[in-house]
Amino acid sequence: MGTPSICVVRRTDKCRQFQPLGNPIKDDHEDPSSIRSLITEHGIGCVVFRCSDVPDPARIADSTLQLQQYAREASHEQPLTIGLKKSDGLYDHVSFGLGSQFPYPMSLAAGHSTATTFQTGRAVGKELASIGLSWVLAPTLDLLSDSTEPLDASQTFGSNPAIVRDHATALIQGLAAEGISACPNAHPAWPFLEVFRSQSPAELAENVEEVSQTPEFTPLANFCATHPHDSLQFGEPVHDFPELEDTAHAIRATREFILRGRCRYQGPTVSSVAEAPEGATVCDKHLPFLTMLSGLNMVKLPKDPEAKLESIKILEAAVMSCPLCARLVRESAARVAKFKTHFLSWPKALTSRQPESLLLPNHHIFAQHAYRASITAVSDGASPLRGLAPTSILLLLTPSVPRKHPNSPSDPFEPLGRSLSTSFSRLRHVPYTLSAGLTEIHRPFLQRAAAVILVLCNISSALIESQDEVVSAVQSILRARDAMPGQQRTRKVVIGAGDPRDLRDDFPGWWGVCCYDYSRGALEAVTEVVLGQKEATGVLPA
């Protein structure tokens, strides 16, 4: 297989023993027959595609139907749960150029309309259902905080617990309206596990009420109350701690106290971890067993085919020989079966696919309106480019960033330059690399341009090279230029195309605006605001 998988466990009536029932995540161009034995021989009951794995709608539609037919032929009592693992948020939900593109969660929250978020969920759900998908591992219930990695900021709904709660609920309900079950990330629970991992059950019980009053708890508690039988990614990597088996027991106790006790949540919990990181004291093939011990009901299997089969054998042996494992599996089987009953049926699973439902024109129009509503001005007044002569030299400085998908343009900011060039014939789009910074190519343009647009993208991320030096150099050159006698002041715009916290630093003399990501829709919408054609109506989702 070569990719991770998720596995849950069920009881087979024939041999009255427990066998793993799981969710392999397929490679992009892999034939469904390559995982047939996992479905027919090992009871795998769920397949998860990644967004970037989908080659074309027709092929994914054929694959989902073929996989369901394998399960039916193997006498599975319930259909496969076939889902999608989010990648850069939910909204590149099939792949660029195939499904419609919708705003990311941060942008939806900035648009301050839960009705729009609900309709986004419906539109995404309709497209996913048209190719046979029924489950999506999204959205996140995390709050944006100082500890949030900037590259993940656009996947959150912001830092306000009520806003996160309301928009997450709207999105999940929109998906459900089209028959898609959401499986949100509950990383807000991680701080609780960190606090509780070394405490006894008695100590855990004493502290649960205090924890439930924290802001991070609000979206999680609301999901558990409103969707008590849906699935939830409540994953804690057991490999992060020493004494792995003791840690697994502590994490299981924490789940029981917080989810099953305080929140009255009855649905299945899903692991978000498939492989142990380099240097971990546990190998990949044992990680599913430890994850099961920690109380998760659906556990991922490792990528490596040999390790995958070994992990299944370890799970089967543990269930047959360990009463605790058998009990955990029985509980998991019951939760997963009830979860599937709510949104799966064999007639629905085996119905014909309609991949032509992708790229519906009305979805594109709706997405454009949603992007426009999200654009947020962080400076007072109108854009300084309003009224600038069309023949003026406009310099656009954009960072070198990863493409969101292999099919997207080599320069993700090309749509921004193209949109601006329709109003400014002398636009100069000059990208900068983070390693080289400003070069002798950039400096002459900075000395001559009547206006400069500087694009920032997750400048505080620890995972990419810093943009700080470029920002400082641009500001220094323009300050020196503007201070020259008789020099007309440069009109300056800074665009945050990622984490909105990029613009919380002082940019004196610059007009700032956020579009939250660098998808085509976001860049075209921010262009309208920068050119003064539209007003920025978004609100920072703080």
Side-chain angles (χ1 to χ4, degrees):
M1 286 286 297
T3 44
S5 55
I6 298 172
C7 119
V8 298
V9 191
R10 71 181 174 109
R11 185 170 184 171
T12 59
D13 292 331
K14 283 185 179 179
C15 55
R16 298 184 61 78
Q17 67 181 8
F18 295 99
Q19 294 187 4
L21 176 77
N23 310 327
I25 298 177
K26 278 170 27 63
D27 277 331
D28 50 356
H29 298 291
E30 194 169 21
D31 190 282
S33 62
S34 63
I35 60 170
R36 183 172 188 171
S37 64
L38 293 175
I39 295 171
T40 58
E41 297 175 23
H42 296 285
I44 297 297
C46 211
V47 178
V48 178
F49 292 91
R50 293 171 301 191
C51 295
S52 58
D53 287 347
V54 182
D56 64 74
R59 186 160 183 176
I60 193 71
D62 290 343
S63 295
T64 58
L65 184 57
Q66 183 67 75
L67 292 169
Q68 294 289 13
Q69 289 170 345
Y70 291 153
R72 188 63 165 166
E73 292 167 4
S75 299
H76 280 222
E77 296 174 7
Q78 294 175 300
L80 301 177
T81 303
I82 304 183
L84 187 76
K85 177 178 172 59
K86 70 181 178 63
S87 167
D88 286 329
L90 169 61
Y91 311 96
D92 55 342
H93 52 272
V94 178
S95 69
F96 275 69
L98 297 178
S100 306
Q101 295 178 37
F102 297 96
Y104 283 63
M106 178 73 74
S107 298
L108 290 171
H112 52 90
S113 169
T114 53
T116 297
T117 303
F118 174 82
Q119 292 301 331
T120 298
R122 287 207 69 167
V124 172
K126 185 176 183 65
E127 296 190 9
L128 295 181
S130 73
I131 53 176
L133 299 174
S134 57
W135 195 46
V136 62
L137 278 67
T140 180
L141 301 179
D142 291 350
L143 302 187
L144 180 68
S145 68
D146 290 340
S147 62
T148 303
E149 161 56 42
L151 295 177
D152 296 332
S154 65
Q155 298 183 32
T156 75
F157 287 108
S159 58
N160 184 302
I163 291 176
V164 174
R165 175 198 64 204
D166 293 346
H167 281 274
T169 298
L171 182 69
I172 291 168
Q173 291 176 341
L175 289 164
E178 297 295 336
I180 302 296
S181 178
C183 180
N185 278 293
H187 293 120
W190 281 28
F192 314 150
L193 299 174
E194 178 69 20
V195 170
F196 292 161
R197 62 180 177 167
S198 61
Q199 295 184 342
S200 67
E203 292 172 316
L204 287 171
E206 292 176 4
N207 285 282
V208 164
E209 190 59 34
E210 179 181 348
V211 167
S212 68
Q213 303 304 315
T214 62
E216 294 85 357
F217 197 79
T218 300
L220 173 62
N222 181 74
F223 173 80
C224 293
T226 56
H227 300 82
H229 300 293
D230 284 3
S231 58
L232 174 68
Q233 292 181 83
F234 193 90
E236 175 70 358
V238 296
H239 54 66
D240 280 0
F241 308 121
E243 307 298 334
L244 289 171
E245 190 166 332
D246 291 341
T247 299
H249 284 290
I251 293 172
R252 185 173 68 253
T254 304
R255 288 194 181 93
E256 290 301 313
F257 278 107
I258 292 180
L259 288 183
R260 311 303 184 193
R262 179 65 177 80
C263 294
R264 300 288 190 265
Y265 173 70
Q266 298 302 316
T269 49
V270 181
S271 170
S272 58
V273 180
E275 288 85 30
E278 186 175 351
T281 57
V282 60
C283 62
D284 288 350
K285 66 182 181 180
H286 288 107
L287 189 57
F289 167 71
L290 289 168
T291 306
M292 179 187 69
L293 275 185
S294 75
L296 285 170
N297 307 124
M298 304 172 76
V299 299
K300 288 188 178 181
L301 302 178
K303 292 180 181 179
D304 180 74
E306 184 175 342
K308 189 189 306 292
L309 290 175
E310 283 295 314
S311 67
I312 290 175
K313 293 177 181 178
I314 290 170
L315 286 168
E316 291 174 336
V319 166
M320 297 299 294
S321 61
C322 172
L324 171 62
C325 294
R327 178 177 66 81
L328 291 174
V329 164
R330 281 194 296 270
E331 293 174 357
S332 295
R335 294 188 193 281
V336 173
K338 191 168 187 178
F339 158 67
K340 285 191 170 189
T341 300
H342 281 275
F343 72 103
L344 288 177
S345 67
W346 278 116
K348 177 182 174 182
L350 296 175
T351 192
S352 60
R353 311 311 194 214
Q354 297 178 316
E356 63 274 8
S357 295
L358 292 172
L359 286 175
L360 293 174
N362 60 319
H363 285 185
H364 175 69
I365 295 170
F366 166 76
Q368 282 183 313
H369 288 301
Y371 275 119
R372 285 171 178 153
S374 72
I375 305 304
T376 308
V378 297
S379 302
D380 295 330
S383 167
L385 268 60
R386 180 179 289 179
L388 185 65
T391 56
S392 301
I393 296 177
L394 173 61
L395 175 61
L396 173 62
L397 296 173
T398 60
S400 173
V401 295
R403 290 187 291 172
K404 290 182 177 294
H405 189 272
N407 293 339
S408 60
S410 57
D411 180 1
F413 292 102
E414 179 185 321
L416 177 61
R418 188 164 51 248
S419 297
L420 289 167
S421 67
T422 61
S423 296
F424 291 95
S425 58
R426 301 179 71 188
L427 172 78
R428 301 295 183 263
H429 182 186
V430 188
Y432 62 88
T433 63
L434 304 183
S435 56
L438 290 190
T439 67
E440 294 308 314
I441 297 176
H442 301 92
R443 296 180 189 278
F445 287 117
L446 284 167
Q447 295 292 349
R448 295 165 46 208
V452 174
I453 299 177
L454 174 63
V455 178
L456 306 179
C457 192
N458 306 314
I459 61 175
S460 58
S461 174
L463 303 179
I464 59 176
E465 294 182 79
S466 173
Q467 299 169 47
D468 289 342
E469 289 187 11
V470 172
V471 172
S472 297
V474 169
Q475 289 181 312
S476 177
I477 291 171
L478 293 181
R479 274 197 302 266
R481 175 190 167 185
D482 291 346
M484 295 175 61
Q487 176 66 47
Q488 185 175 5
R489 294 184 64 84
T490 311
R491 304 190 190 198
K492 299 181 285 288
V493 173
V494 57
I495 298 176
D499 187 346
R501 295 172 296 180
D502 288 350
L503 300 187
R504 65 184 173 186
D505 293 330
D506 190 23
F507 284 88
W510 292 74
W511 189 80
V513 60
C514 283
C515 63
Y516 303 103
D517 76 85
Y518 51 91
S519 62
R520 179 186 300 274
L523 296 176
E524 291 176 349
V526 78
T527 300
E528 295 175 334
V529 172
V530 167
L531 294 177
Q533 299 168 350
K534 301 281 186 181
E535 295 295 328
T537 59
V539 178
L540 286 173

